[in-house]
Amino acid sequence: MSVRIGIAPGNWQWRGGGAAYLRFVDACESNGWDSLWLSDRLVGERMSLEPVTALAVAAGRTTDLKFGTSVLALAIRNPALLAKEVATVDFLSGGRFLPAVGLGGDDEREYEATGGRKSERAGRTDEAIEVLRRLWTEEHVTHHGKYYHLTDVTITPKPVFTPYPPIWIGGRTAFAWERVARSGDGWLASQVTPADVTAGIAAIRQGCEQSGRTIEDDHFGVMLSTYLTDSKTEAAERLAAGSLRPRPDAPLEQYSAAGDAALIQERIAQYVQAGATKFVLRLLCREDEAEQQLELMAKQVLSTIA
């Protein structure tokens, strides 16, 4: 199984505007990173690029770089419109779109703003996955479910990726594992330890066996907050400043990789041993360090693993 490593930007303001984002995209491509991943937040004061739109820009800018969503909040999106958007970007890019999806965030305003309720997000997510796959593979789709209704609907173009872009599902709870086993093509988890990955993969495989499904052995991935530095003090500072909401049950160091190249290599190896082969390194650096970090990590980490 081949190990592939992609990149996700930190919580940056993109102070240089579109030019700053394009430089970052170019640096991902030129340094040989496998893919670029963007998160999905509709509302809030924190800067957040709309992922499908921003990744479409990246698609037109690159030739080899793949791109994905980490993760796309299905419950706040209309699946027919999203199917068209993803298929269009995938078609124009030659099959480079990797849609990872999830339940979405906890901000009630996102659901209200899009005409739904947070309490519906699990049901909407499950139903939307079914609608997406049908629209990508069938010519005339009629679907009357609890949340979505389509009558004799066809979308074109179809995705280049056949039979359809694989839908990876995020989450680190038992409910997320069950959803992956029931309807996912892969698992992309964040803020998980290697032990969590081992437990999650075992549960997903057991669920797949019970439901008569299979997931490829190399379709298990991890998002890993990362910063490359030889200074332990600087690593700790970046980890504390740039990490997402910490878990109460595990220290940050157990599910991140901030330190020198040897530490990052060893942490990735631990996850590979646990069963993960796909990685998204979420950068903990400042925005003005991004291009340097991409280049240094490509030379000191990526070249030794991928």
Side-chain angles (χ1 to χ4, degrees), residues 107-118:
D107 193 335
E108 293 276 4
R109 294 173 298 173
E110 290 199 332
Y111 305 94
E112 179 185 35
T114 53
R117 293 192 296 268
K118 181 182 172 182

Side-chain angles (χ1 to χ4, degrees), residues 45-211:
E45 296 179 359
R46 192 184 78 186
M47 168 69 82
S48 178
L49 301 176
E50 196 289 310
V52 178
T53 307
L55 293 173
V57 172
R61 185 83 173 185
T62 59
T63 56
D64 298 317
L65 189 70
K66 296 187 285 294
F67 30 87
T69 52
S70 56
V71 290
L72 202 66
L74 282 191
I76 64 172
R77 294 174 177 269
N78 178 280
L81 177 58
L82 180 62
K84 180 78 169 185
E85 292 170 335
V86 171
T88 297
V89 178
D90 191 75
F91 175 80
L92 294 175
S93 68
R96 291 186 282 145
F97 202 106
L98 304 170
V101 305
L103 294 185
D106 292 326
D107 193 335
E108 293 276 4
R109 294 173 298 173
E110 290 199 332
Y111 305 94
E112 179 185 35
T114 53
R117 293 192 296 268
K118 181 182 172 182
S119 61
E120 300 172 340
R121 63 179 181 170
R124 284 184 178 274
T125 297
D126 290 340
E127 191 172 331
I129 291 173
E130 177 186 355
V131 172
L132 288 172
R133 285 207 182 102
R134 292 194 62 192
L135 288 171
W136 288 336
T137 57
E138 299 177 24
E139 293 301 325
H140 299 276
V141 176
T142 295
H143 171 94
H144 296 292
K146 182 176 181 179
Y147 301 106
Y148 306 111
H149 298 271
L150 299 84
T151 301
D152 193 24
V153 170
T154 300
I155 67 162
T156 56
K158 298 297 186 189
V160 171
F161 202 115
T162 57
Y164 50 79
I167 299 176
W168 290 38
I169 297 176
R172 57 183 174 87
T173 66
F175 292 107
W177 299 341
E178 190 276 332
R179 178 171 287 104
V180 175
R182 174 165 36 85
S183 57
D185 298 306
W187 180 40
L188 179 63
S190 63
Q191 294 188 289
V192 289
T193 66
D196 294 333
V197 171
T198 298
I201 291 176
I204 290 167
R205 285 177 171 156
Q206 181 179 14
C208 284
E209 184 176 351
Q210 293 172 349
S211 60

